Amino acid sequence: MTSEAGREPGAWSRRRVLGVLAATAVPASLAGCSGSGGTTGSSPSSSSPSSSAPSVSAPAAEAGSPSASRTPTTGPRPLFLGTYTSAEGGGAGVGVAVYDARSGRITGRGTIAGVGDPSYLAVHPDGRTLYTVNERPEGGVTAVRISDRKVLSTRSSGGEAPCHLSVHPGGRWLLSANYGTGGVAVHPIEPSGALGERTDLVVHGSPAPGPGQRGPHAHQVVTSPDGGHVLAVDLGTDTVYTYRLDERRGTLSEVSRARTRPGAGPRHLTFHPGGRYAYLANEVDDTVVVCAYDPDSGRLTPGGPRSTGTGSGTNYPAQLVVTPNGAYAYLANRGHDSLTRYAVEAGGARLRLVDTVPVGGEFPRQIALSPDGGLLFAALQRSGAVSVFRVDPDSGELRRAGEPFASPVAVCALPL
């Protein structure tokens, strides 16, 4: 669709990586570091990079996940940043930094080189291994040992332009979503943290693509809080697919599908900590949907569309995150360049729009909460920076924590 390029920033960014469109052609739709010496970008709030890797002292969940550990965060904490290495002005690999858990100040610690287009990041539950997508025409997934920044392995994702990945809670399987070809891949994780050969690949062959779409576009794959099901969000088919993972063989079996409104373009699903509700950000029609979730059957039931609070202008919702106590949710708005705050009510069944605040830059591609929920990080793709906000524990109000941290083509921030 010409509308795929014009209405769907996610599709545009995939095609940029695929070399179909120039980086400056049309509006883009996941935080990175660059420099010829593998150094990290700096800002008035950062200090000089060093070559030492940050230590990881506790397990952590996927960035922005409500199941993230509430480990006390004192002193410097690790922060990893994803980018597009093939984009003009992009990073040289995975950015490495630390952040102060109280002030939110980010300090650069260099770059993990040799990883191509690491646009989304996840960490193993034991905190020892970092996983990245390689969002390229011949898509891949890469494992990096955090302690010495050694690339352990890269495996084919079995499709084009993988844009999201997550580690199954048991720590034995890596799940990835191929945006370009609309499928979900499974890779075994070896005891060392390295990845084995792919054990499954499920392509979303039906239903037919939604209005303006040319095919399926898997945008996210995540495990439900109870661990019983794997859910894949497909923007192209306006569908969320629910699977069961065979944890012995590493294969997926579909158990249900949830259809959104035609043309909604679902992008990202985030569960409430209670596990009975989830929130879906729809990229194309600029809405948010509350979904009921049945842990027994894995069935997701979407409700009606909700406002993003961004008015009538062009806006592409990117991602929702929920505070660990389940009291507030935040939405990243690309186009409006803001963060929407929702109060979570009725045990997770309702979102009440509270306000929107400027994000401090352009095109917040991805947002993540620190493990204790005290800080919110926003990767600002077009500004080449990461902004940080303090989260008020009582009101959920967001307050800027200093100036944004410079990070080329910042598309993902993973605070541990």
Side-chain angles (χ1 to χ4, degrees):
M1 73 177 177
T2 49
S3 59
E4 247 186 0
R7 291 175 56 202
E8 185 187 323
W12 178 87
S13 73
R14 309 308 176 250
R15 283 200 283 288
R16 178 191 58 192
V17 176
L18 298 177
V20 178
L21 295 176
T24 57
V26 295
S29 48
L30 270 164
C33 305
S34 70
S36 59
T39 58
T40 302
S42 62
S43 74
S45 63
S46 67
S47 63
S48 300
S50 82
S51 60
S52 60
S55 62
V56 178
S57 58
E62 177 193 352
S65 168
S67 62
S69 168
R70 290 185 62 91
T71 303
T73 50
T74 57
R77 299 286 302 171
L79 174 67
F80 296 97
L81 306 169
T83 187
Y84 286 119
T85 58
S86 62
E88 182 179 354
V94 178
V96 182
V98 295
Y99 68 95
D100 184 273
R102 293 185 179 180
S103 69
R105 177 187 175 94
I106 298 175
T107 303
R109 288 288 185 263
T111 302
I112 301 172
V115 183
D117 291 312
S119 66
Y120 202 88
L121 314 172
V123 71
H124 193 278
D126 67 12
R128 297 177 182 175
T129 310
L130 180 73
Y131 298 98
T132 86
V133 298
N134 307 115
E135 193 173 328
R136 292 183 163 182
E138 296 182 357
V141 286
T142 294
V144 179
R145 188 165 57 211
I146 291 176
S147 62
D148 59 1
R149 307 185 185 184
K150 178 180 175 60
V151 175
L152 299 175
S153 60
T154 295
R155 301 289 186 180
S156 169
S157 65
E160 297 178 0
C163 66
H164 186 274
L165 80 174
S166 59
V167 182
H168 190 264
R172 295 180 55 205
W173 304 100
L174 183 75
L175 311 166
S176 58
N178 289 309
Y179 183 91
T181 44
V184 176
V186 184
H187 288 81
I189 297 176
E190 299 172 357
S192 67
L195 298 171
E197 292 292 345
R198 190 176 62 251
T199 55
D200 202 4
L201 176 66
V202 178
V203 178
H204 300 152
S206 65
Q213 305 293 325
R214 293 198 180 110
H217 294 304
H219 216 303
Q220 182 199 27
V221 59
V222 65
T223 304
S224 59
D226 59 281
H229 298 92
V230 171
L231 294 94
V233 180
D234 197 295
L235 186 152
T237 62
D238 293 321
T239 301
V240 180
Y241 302 81
T242 299
Y243 300 96
R244 284 195 183 276
L245 173 67
D246 184 322
E247 296 189 51
R248 182 177 62 85
R249 300 170 55 199
T251 55
L252 295 169
S253 301
E254 184 179 326
V255 297
S256 69
R257 298 180 182 181
R259 298 296 304 277
T260 65
R261 292 194 310 165
R267 176 185 176 94
H268 194 279
L269 184 77
T270 301
F271 277 91
H272 183 271
R276 293 285 181 170
Y277 297 96
Y279 312 116
L280 190 61
N282 292 321
E283 174 178 310
V284 179
D285 74 357
D286 189 20
T287 63
V288 167
V289 169
V290 178
C291 306
Y293 173 71
D294 179 5
D296 293 329
S297 67
R299 184 172 298 278
L300 195 74
T301 304
R306 308 280 179 133
S307 171
T308 61
T310 58
S312 59
T314 301
N315 183 61
Y316 305 104
Q319 180 182 4
L320 283 151
V321 294
V322 184
T323 55
N325 63 5
Y328 293 93
Y330 305 95
L331 173 70
N333 295 301
R334 299 165 297 163
H336 194 254
D337 294 334
S338 65
L339 299 171
T340 300
R341 173 174 47 147
Y342 296 95
V344 180
E345 300 176 337
R350 187 167 62 242
L351 293 178
R352 176 173 56 84
L353 196 155
V354 179
D355 61 11
T356 63
V357 298
V359 74
E362 295 185 63
F363 233 64
R365 173 69 174 271
Q366 177 262 359
I367 55 176
L369 291 166
S370 59
D372 66 351
L375 296 171
L376 184 148
F377 297 79
L380 308 175
Q381 180 173 350
R382 291 187 183 172
S383 296
V386 177
S387 59
V388 186
F389 294 80
R390 296 188 186 90
V391 181
D392 186 281
D394 299 318
S395 68
E397 183 180 359
L398 298 175
R399 298 186 180 92
R400 284 276 299 276
E403 293 299 313
F405 175 79
S407 183
V409 190
V411 290
C412 183
L414 176 60
L416 303 186

